[in-house]
Amino acid sequence: MKNLVDEKHSIVNVSKSVLKHYGCYGKEDTIEALDSHLDDQSEHVIYMLLDGLGMNVLLMHLDETSFLRRHLLRTVTSVFPPTTVAATNAVLAAKPPIETGYLGWVQYDPLEDFDLQVFLNTDFYTEKKALRNYRKEMLPYANLLEQVREKNPEIETFELFPDFMPGGSKTFGEHLDRLDHIMRTGKKTFSYAYWVEPDLSQHEKGIGHPDIKTIISDLDHQLAAFAQVMPSHARLIVIADHGLIDVLPIPLHHDDVLFSYLRRKPSLEPRATNFFVKPECLKAFEEHVTRHYGAYFELYSRERLLDENIFGTGKPHHTISETLGDFVAIATKDRMFTLKEGTPFKA
């Protein structure tokens, strides 16, 4: 399967351009088209991430006269896996998942011996709360804001999230109001602003649902109005972390034969599923997956994943040896695995 990540033109490279603007990065693998827009007059920089707004849904729901399409600078790829946990941390770290250690929604935690929902700090299968903060203890890194502040102590930095975080914005309009206030403080600022749509609704309804068009059109209209009142010395960078496609579920959790080959339950993602296999069952597992799921998934061995730099190039994070199993099944068509009972995603 072709590696779809362009490591010269990915979301990581966008973040490297931001760091370059602030004197925090000096290599050549930035987005040149963006570099030219970030100059000495850029006193306020807003780096906005709209979760799940991939090019396919952007083109599906917005016409050429829309704000976002009129200002489309260039297309970039996500990272692998192209999912929120891996991709948003790649953006904030300006590093690929192999270096951050953030590989997916569910990662095996050997200390507590369960499959951790990384953002929720709970066991994916039992909902048991973790005893420690896995992200804080095992996956810390200096994010963009910290790097900018260290190099430029005169720059004020701000991080904005929806209200799933304490003090977060209840609406996208509130997000924009906060950003407007930040730019009028009289000081130079750098802001990272994350918004959970259209990802959240696409998972529930699918990418072509009329409500998705309404959500994306509303985001576009609000951004257009916001841009009208932005100071001339402000710059707004809008990216997505990944895209989505509509999918059909395969109930993997009903496959008792497959589970009998495993030494622990599957993890990572529904379309990039991680398997820890009993040593004596490696061949039988591989044959079983290829026979039953090979039409929709390609099975990668741990060695192949690392040799082909599927998670990006760079020094592997120290947790990779514990997180990554013997195989990862990567979706090649419109299917996802369900790993437990529940309502499956539509996209």
Side-chain angles (χ1 to χ4, degrees):
M1 185 177 70
K2 181 183 176 182
N3 185 358
L4 297 180
V5 176
D6 182 347
E7 291 199 286
K8 295 294 184 182
H9 301 94
S10 77
I11 54 177
V12 172
N13 304 97
V14 179
S15 292
K16 288 178 177 178
S17 280
V18 172
L19 291 178
K20 179 180 181 180
H21 169 64
Y22 287 108
C24 306
Y25 189 79
K27 297 182 182 179
E28 298 301 317
D29 55 339
T30 58
I31 304 295
E32 188 174 343
L34 176 58
D35 294 341
S36 62
H37 287 276
L38 296 172
D39 53 29
D40 293 340
Q41 303 304 310
S42 307
E43 295 185 9
H44 304 288
V45 175
I46 299 169
Y47 194 16
M48 179 177 290
L49 193 157
L50 301 180
D51 200 329
L53 188 63
M55 282 299 299
N56 59 328
V57 292
L58 188 74
L59 297 177
M60 178 186 294
H61 295 299
L62 295 180
D63 62 33
E64 294 179 355
T65 65
S66 64
F67 174 78
L68 286 171
R69 289 196 57 182
R70 283 188 291 111
H71 293 87
L72 183 64
L73 189 62
R74 67 157 300 137
T75 302
V76 296
T77 67
S78 185
V79 293
F80 189 86
T83 61
T84 298
V85 169
T88 57
N89 283 288
V91 167
L92 281 168
K95 294 180 179 180
I98 192 70
E99 292 193 78
T100 66
Y102 284 91
L103 297 188
W105 185 258
V106 182
Q107 298 186 189
Y108 177 66
D109 178 358
L111 187 64
E112 302 202 41
D113 192 28
F114 64 47
D115 297 290
L116 186 80
Q117 296 180 100
V118 177
F119 277 1
L120 303 180
N121 211 41
T122 58
D123 187 324
F124 173 71
Y125 289 100
T126 69
E127 301 298 332
K128 178 183 176 183
K129 187 73 175 176
L131 297 177
R132 63 172 177 169
N133 187 322
Y134 184 81
R135 295 179 68 188
K136 186 175 181 180
E137 292 186 26
M138 303 301 292
L139 301 173
Y141 61 83
N143 66 26
L144 297 180
L145 295 95
E146 293 170 296
Q147 294 182 59
V148 169
R149 284 198 304 269
E150 182 178 356
K151 188 74 173 181
N152 308 269
E154 76 283 4
I155 304 287
E156 285 201 282
T157 62
F158 300 87
E159 198 168 15
L160 283 71
F161 287 97
D163 62 0
F164 61 70
M165 296 286 283
S169 303
K170 291 181 173 58
T171 65
F172 188 63
E174 183 180 340
H175 236 33
L176 297 181
D177 288 343
R178 291 182 175 190
L179 290 167
D180 182 68
H181 177 75
I182 286 168
M183 290 187 295
R184 300 186 189 283
T185 59
K187 298 179 180 180
K188 292 184 178 181
T189 66
F190 170 62
S191 302
Y192 171 76
Y194 168 86
W195 194 247
V196 73
E197 293 288 10
D199 179 86
L200 185 67
S201 296
Q202 289 181 97
H203 280 316
E204 178 187 352
K205 300 178 179 182
I207 66 172
H209 194 281
D211 288 353
I212 306 304
K213 183 177 186 67
T214 299
I215 288 167
I216 294 175
S217 297
D218 186 55
L219 292 171
D220 186 78
H221 292 151
Q222 290 192 68
L223 283 170
F226 177 72
Q228 288 284 328
V229 299
M230 282 176 57
S232 60
H233 47 273
R235 301 291 183 267
L236 172 63
I237 305 164
V238 181
I239 66 165
D241 53 345
H242 62 80
L244 292 90
I245 64 168
D246 288 340
V247 291
L248 297 171
I250 296 175
L252 192 71
H253 57 291
H254 291 164
D255 188 340
D256 294 335
V257 173
L258 182 143
F259 271 70
S260 73
Y261 297 143
L262 304 181
R263 49 195 169 97
R264 60 179 63 102
K265 293 178 180 179
S267 55
L268 285 192
E269 291 284 345
R271 286 171 54 78
T273 307
N274 187 42
F275 298 99
F276 293 87
V277 183
K278 296 173 183 175
E280 68 274 16
C281 298
L282 290 170
K283 184 177 180 181
F285 170 84
E286 191 169 4
E287 290 175 349
H288 181 87
V289 171
T290 301
R291 182 168 62 253
H292 291 279
Y293 308 113
Y296 301 105
F297 286 83
E298 184 170 348
L299 198 61
Y300 278 66
S301 68
R302 177 193 182 95
E303 293 74 21
R304 183 184 175 192
L305 289 162
L306 297 175
D307 288 346
E308 295 185 13
N309 299 313
I310 300 300
F311 297 109
T313 56
K315 182 180 179 181
H317 193 271
H318 67 89
T319 60
I320 297 293
S321 61
E322 301 167 339
T323 301
L324 193 58
D326 302 290
F327 295 97
V328 173
I330 299 175
T332 57
K333 295 181 182 177
D334 60 343
R335 295 296 190 276
M336 61 168 275
F337 285 139
T338 58
L339 306 182
K340 64 178 182 179
E341 296 295 341
T343 303
F345 288 153
K346 291 188 177 179

